Amino acid sequence: MEPVIEYLEQNQPRFLGELAEFLRIPSISASPEHRAEVARCAHWLADELRRVGLEHVQVLATPGHPVVYADWLHAPGRPTALVYGHYDVQPVDPLHEWQSPPFEPVIHAGSIFARGASDDKGQVFMHLKAVEAHLRTQGRLPLNLKVLLEGEEEIGSGHLDALLEAQRDLLAADVVVVSDTAMFAPALPSICYGLRGLAYCQVEVRGPATDLHSGSYGGAVANPLEVLAKLVAALKDDQARITVPGFYDDVRPLSPEERAALARLPFDEPRFKAEVGVEALQGEAGYTTLERIWTRPTLELNGMWGGFTGEGSKTIIPARAWAKLSCRLVPDQDPERVLDLLERHLRALCPRTVQLTFTRMHGGKPSLTPLDHPAVQAAFRALERGFGTRPVFIRAGGSIPVVASFQQLLGLPVVLMGVAPHDDHAHAPNERFGIENLMGGARSAAYLWQELASAE
Ligand code: BES
Ligand code: MN
Ligand code: MN
């Protein structure tokens, strides 16, 4: 392995230049104006996959953004690993809070700053460099490898399940490896064994046919914005419990063993509060902060609008009001069922004075990976060698919908070995990725192929 690791060290300056090229492409999947840039990013990646020595490179069209595939299959008798990642990025607003433009990467204080630096381009890139290091120095990989990179993760991976099912043979593997989760603390390698799912919806409440003069009509006609505010407020009680009947029915209880393991993690609550910028935390009674974020479901109001929000004052009863609501889900909750329950409850609460429209948006299932799987143990050894520190086992509050699809549609175990700490500002201004993490991640990925080849 020495030459592989040495190759990574020696080529670091070139890697940073290449990663900057990748980061310069504004592949914002949510923004229709960026459609051509997302496609350009897919083709840049396809070229990069060829440059690192992978074969059968394909840009697979979907009804949305393309998926990029490549493989190296010259290790007969050895297992096959599938690396999944995403090349799409989040929108960049608020733009004025960026210290340097989001798509003009700069290196500063040991990190590379750009949208997508850690989520997930930097982490995809480190896997590609680990492959390159093996192929250039050994002429081969220790196992068979497939790479699948999508362009719609940040908008819910809506077309990926169909692709997994249509391309079962192409994607056949023994294990999936994903680096798109957080490290528990800086320089503390972490294996994530659980992700939350997501159920997203938009609610519209309509009252009068048009906005009304609040003097001529106020007091006699229901105000849709107020009705909606009340409906939303009624979805949780004072103890932060969600009041939707049946909401918790499918929530798997935490085992005492898992609770004890989570309690042993070096969680620094004062520091967490300081990072977030709040005086006090809140949440469901009887659960610790980590348990609330990782193992309990939530319901959040993401945004609410309607009526007059301009400068000055205007006296109206607004005709319509809107809210965007989302739930993070835990095993064994199902996004469709949760949206059914939420819709039924909102309709039951909604007065006859207004009309309610419930629109389903994207969702994703929660997932768990068993810790005793040999691939998880191989990743543990690889991360320990790559970072020189014993990894911890964590869960995450975030969602990667395709992970449950790999498990349930393709029957594959998924190992989550993300190397980007929380303070890398994913989804926020000044996103960054530490060069030490990039290199530690590349070393770990390089070790992983060896560990996986000897584990099975
Ligand atoms: N990489 C994140 C998921 C993540 C975040 C995992 C934090 C672990 C910790 C991913 O790119 C993401 O942002 N997912 C979205 C999914 C959604 C749009 C379906 C999320 O969690 O909001
Ligand atoms: Mn991501
Ligand atoms: Mn993301």
Side-chain angles (χ1 to χ4, degrees):
M1 281 301 282
E2 244 97 276
V4 177
I5 301 303
E6 237 165 67
Y7 179 93
L8 290 173
E9 296 313 317
Q10 278 161 7
N11 288 280
Q12 180 193 304
R14 171 171 61 84
F15 293 165
L16 290 174
E18 294 167 357
L19 175 57
E21 243 182 66
F22 188 14
L23 292 171
R24 229 170 263 133
I25 308 172
S27 48
I28 306 172
S29 51
S31 143
E33 309 89 83
H34 286 83
R35 191 167 188 86
E37 295 290 355
V38 180
R40 185 161 73 88
C41 195
H43 285 95
W44 184 91
L45 260 180
D47 289 339
E48 174 64 14
L49 291 167
R50 281 184 207 104
R51 281 193 292 270
V52 306
L54 290 167
E55 302 170 345
H56 305 120
V57 178
Q58 299 183 52
V59 176
L60 300 164
T62 77
H65 299 301
V67 170
V68 188
Y69 169 89
D71 62 32
W72 189 92
L73 304 173
H74 304 290
R78 298 277 180 85
T80 301
L82 172 75
V83 174
Y84 159 86
H86 63 94
Y87 66 87
D88 64 322
V89 300
Q90 284 277 325
V92 295
D93 51 281
L95 192 56
H96 67 272
E97 286 184 28
W98 286 78
Q99 264 144 35
S100 54
F103 297 109
E104 292 172 30
V106 293
I107 293 173
H108 173 67
S111 290
I112 185 160
F113 287 78
R115 171 57 86 231
S118 56
D119 185 13
D120 182 33
K121 286 177 173 174
Q123 301 200 69
V124 164
F125 184 77
M126 80 199 185
H127 275 287
L128 305 187
K129 295 300 112 171
V131 171
E132 179 185 310
H134 274 284
L135 290 176
R136 291 283 195 286
T137 63
Q138 315 297 298
R140 60 187 321 283
L141 293 172
L143 45 46
N144 302 294
L145 193 76
K146 298 180 177 183
V147 176
L148 185 75
L149 304 171
E150 74 153 315
E152 300 194 302
E153 196 278 341
E154 298 292 9
I155 51 172
S157 304
H159 301 102
L160 201 53
D161 281 5
L163 188 131
L164 295 194
E165 291 190 298
Q167 302 283 355
R168 260 173 204 281
D169 294 339
L170 183 70
L171 302 178
D174 298 291
V175 59
V176 179
V177 176
V178 182
S179 290
D180 190 27
T181 47
M183 263 181 162
F184 188 71
L188 182 57
S190 310
I191 292 182
C192 178
Y193 64 92
L195 291 167
R196 288 198 290 190
L198 190 69
Y200 210 115
C201 66
Q202 181 166 318
V203 181
E204 182 186 346
V205 170
R206 286 168 175 268
T210 63
D211 289 358
L212 300 175
H213 191 296
S214 68
S216 311
Y217 298 92
V221 179
N223 180 322
L225 202 44
E226 289 176 18
V227 170
L228 184 55
K230 267 198 178 168
L231 287 176
V232 169
L235 296 176
K236 271 187 224 169
D237 69 16
D238 293 343
Q239 269 68 53
R241 288 273 299 184
I242 295 148
T243 56
V244 177
F247 185 83
Y248 292 97
D249 284 0
D250 298 326
V251 173
R252 215 188 284 181
L254 254 181
S255 72
E257 294 74 29
E258 187 173 2
R259 279 204 124 151
L262 297 186
R264 280 194 298 272
L265 287 168
F267 181 63
D268 183 344
E269 191 144 312
R271 192 186 160 143
F272 178 84
K273 282 193 280 196
E275 269 171 23
V276 185
V278 297
E279 288 280 318
L281 299 173
Q282 62 97 52
E284 206 182 341
Y287 295 93
T288 66
T289 297
L290 283 184
E291 289 169 353
R292 287 170 179 167
I293 299 175
W294 290 352
T295 76
R296 299 296 297 169
T298 63
L299 183 148
E300 301 289 346
L301 172 63
N302 297 273
M304 190 167 154
W305 69 103
F308 181 67
T309 55
E311 225 173 284
S313 61
K314 184 183 178 201
T315 46
I316 54 158
I317 298 172
R320 297 157 81 184
W322 296 265
K324 286 186 192 282
L325 293 166
S326 63
C327 298
R328 293 284 170 176
L329 309 179
V330 299
D332 298 306
Q333 287 179 300
D334 176 74
E336 285 304 317
R337 180 170 147 75
V338 165
L339 290 178
D340 287 346
L341 295 173
L342 180 56
E343 177 172 6
R344 191 184 313 160
H345 188 53
L346 284 169
R347 292 201 184 285
L349 293 179
C350 187
R352 279 183 40 242
T353 52
V354 296
Q355 271 190 317
L356 184 143
T357 309
F358 187 91
T359 308
R360 284 152 194 261
M361 296 164 79
H362 58 68
K365 291 183 180 161
S367 56
L368 278 176
T369 298
L371 295 188
D372 54 5
H373 194 281
V376 172
Q377 295 304 318
F380 187 94
R381 295 189 298 274
L383 280 169
E384 183 162 22
R385 291 170 76 185
F387 283 88
T389 305
R390 218 179 137 74
V392 290
F393 287 104
I394 63 170
R395 286 170 72 159
S399 309
I400 309 175
V402 73
V403 170
S405 308
F406 281 128
Q407 292 176 336
Q408 291 165 24
L409 296 178
L410 302 186
L412 296 178
V414 183
V415 177
L416 298 160
M417 44 181 280
V419 297
H422 285 286
D423 62 358
D424 273 353
H425 308 297
H427 294 204
N430 305 308
E431 181 176 349
R432 64 180 174 189
F433 191 34
I435 294 165
E436 273 315 306
N437 294 68
L438 169 73
M439 298 308 293
R443 286 192 297 271
S444 305
Y447 287 128
L448 180 65
W449 308 139
Q450 194 193 33
E451 294 287 353
L452 277 173
S454 51
E456 316 234 345

